[in-house]
Amino acid sequence: MRNGYVSITGKPNVGKSTLINAFLKYHVAITSPKPQTTRNQIRAIYQTADCKIAFIDTPGWHEPKFKLDLFLNSEIKNSYKVADVILLLIDLTRLIDDEDRKVIETINKFNLTNVILVLTKKDISSPKKINEYTQQLAKMINPLDTIAISSKKNLSLDQLIKTISLHLPIEEQTLMVEENDNKTISEIIRQQVIFNTRQELPYASTVVIELNNYDEFTNTLNVQATIVVEKESQKPILIGKNGSMIKKIGIMARKDLMNIYSSKINLKLFVKVEKDWRNNEKFLKDIGYSNK
């Protein structure tokens, strides 16, 4: 059996989480139509009779504007260090831009030779465009292979898995997957913040789990979480009129959590203002965002 780590990388909102969800047939990574969604490496195991793969879903690479951004980019670099194969995703429906070039520049800077180029959204692209992108990218990077796929339509995913497997080590190794319930729960809640709020709020918010315990007698997972925002003006947007928005976020997050945990979910949400938290090094370290 071949087995190893596979890092999924690319610019923000290129379909990294959608791909890993398609591979695993259930929801393991936060997805939304807005960029900068994934903030932590999310690892999940895919296994067949022939291979075992630990996928690492990373944040999208972007130019640092806040200290938080330094952590996000360090997560990507750290994934490169452990990966046996790197999937570089390029969206066929978007122009190859400076963000794509920055990711490629970083890969080339690390002298990485284990990259598979994955062109996404094959279902709404033409063979001509696929060929054009393949030729254009060949001038920037020398991948092991290039494959066009569609995660949503499940096109060529089997081919991609087979290609990944060919480049994985044959020797036995124990694949470690970090189990962190607090991280999973906070990402699910934050997804609902992203889906239900507008403008800058999704990027200026984070979720801190204050309480997470399981009552075996009632089969209930009790969770208390605080949604942190940067400005006082953002707090009423998140709470909504008569608490309507925070209630909606709670209902939808609870529903998602029930799909993961085989228990009742008692979820209580609070809102707190922590001014300029994305640049507050102590606060970032306290909630687990540290690139040191």
Side-chain angles (χ1 to χ4, degrees), residues 137-154:
L137 289 161
K139 299 174 184 177
M140 306 178 196
I141 192 168
N142 183 26
L144 295 170
D145 210 331
T146 300
I147 300 174
I149 66 158
S150 169
S151 300
K152 290 188 176 180
K153 298 294 185 179
N154 196 27

Side-chain angles (χ1 to χ4, degrees), residues 215-257:
D215 186 337
E216 61 181 326
F217 296 104
T218 61
N219 187 31
T220 301
L221 180 65
N222 297 295
V223 176
Q224 289 185 18
T226 299
I227 303 173
V228 180
V229 293
E230 287 186 322
K231 303 174 184 177
E232 289 290 343
S233 61
Q234 294 166 341
K235 189 173 179 179
I237 296 173
L238 195 52
I239 294 173
K241 186 176 181 180
N242 299 322
S244 58
M245 178 57 73
I246 197 71
K247 182 179 179 181
K248 182 179 180 182
I249 290 170
I251 290 171
M252 297 180 74
R254 186 181 297 109
K255 183 179 179 181
D256 285 343
L257 290 169

Side-chain angles (χ1 to χ4, degrees), residues 25 30 58 160 170 175 181 184 224 233 248 253 265 277 286:
K25 302 294 191 296
I30 180 172
T58 63
L160 179 55
I170 297 177
L175 302 182
D181 279 351
T184 299
Q224 289 185 18
S233 61
K248 182 179 180 182
I265 305 293
W277 68 265
D286 287 345

Side-chain angles (χ1 to χ4, degrees), residues 96-123:
I96 297 172
D97 58 16
D98 288 342
E99 288 182 317
D100 292 306
R101 293 185 184 93
K102 185 64 179 179
V103 179
I104 293 171
E105 179 185 313
T106 303
I107 288 172
N108 290 335
K109 184 178 178 181
F110 278 82
N111 295 316
L112 301 172
T113 59
N114 57 342
V115 179
I116 296 174
L117 182 60
V118 180
L119 306 179
T120 65
K121 300 183 182 177
K122 172 183 179 179
D123 56 312

Side-chain angles (χ1 to χ4, degrees), residues 10-185:
K11 68 182 178 184
N13 201 27
V14 76
K16 298 180 294 294
S17 297
T18 303
L19 175 59
I20 198 170
N21 289 338
F23 277 142
L24 296 162
K25 302 294 191 296
Y26 62 90
H27 194 87
V28 295
I30 180 172
T31 58
S32 88
K34 300 177 182 179
Q36 206 187 95
T37 304
T38 302
R39 283 187 181 161
N40 294 95
Q41 290 184 12
I42 299 174
R43 298 188 181 189
I45 297 288
Y46 173 96
Q47 185 168 358
T48 68
D50 303 315
C51 70
K52 190 174 184 180
I53 302 170
F55 283 109
I56 307 172
D57 178 27
T58 63
W61 182 280
H62 51 280
E63 286 299 319
K65 296 179 182 178
F66 304 95
K67 290 183 178 179
L68 172 65
D69 299 335
L70 297 175
F71 166 81
L72 300 182
N73 287 345
S74 73
E75 286 278 273
I76 302 169
K77 292 177 181 178
N78 289 337
S79 79
Y80 293 166
K81 293 176 184 177
V82 301
D84 297 290
V85 172
I86 296 168
L87 302 185
L88 170 59
L89 270 59
I90 301 290
D91 188 336
L92 286 163
T93 66
R94 297 158 69 184
L95 293 175
I96 297 172
D97 58 16
D98 288 342
E99 288 182 317
D100 292 306
R101 293 185 184 93
K102 185 64 179 179
V103 179
I104 293 171
E105 179 185 313
T106 303
I107 288 172
N108 290 335
K109 184 178 178 181
F110 278 82
N111 295 316
L112 301 172
T113 59
N114 57 342
V115 179
I116 296 174
L117 182 60
V118 180
L119 306 179
T120 65
K121 300 183 182 177
K122 172 183 179 179
D123 56 312
I124 50 176
S125 301
S126 65
K128 181 181 178 181
K129 178 173 282 190
I130 292 170
N131 186 54
E132 288 174 356
Y133 272 55
T134 300
Q135 291 185 17
Q136 186 176 348
L137 289 161
K139 299 174 184 177
M140 306 178 196
I141 192 168
N142 183 26
L144 295 170
D145 210 331
T146 300
I147 300 174
I149 66 158
S150 169
S151 300
K152 290 188 176 180
K153 298 294 185 179
N154 196 27
L155 297 177
S156 301
L157 295 187
D158 288 342
Q159 179 189 354
L160 179 55
I161 286 290
K162 289 177 182 177
T163 304
I164 291 169
S165 180
L166 288 175
H167 299 289
L168 293 178
I170 297 177
E171 67 267 16
E172 188 70 27
Q173 62 173 319
T174 302
L175 302 182
M176 302 297 293
V177 177
E178 179 183 1
E179 293 185 4
N180 189 326
D181 279 351
N182 280 355
K183 188 180 293 186
T184 299
I185 294 169

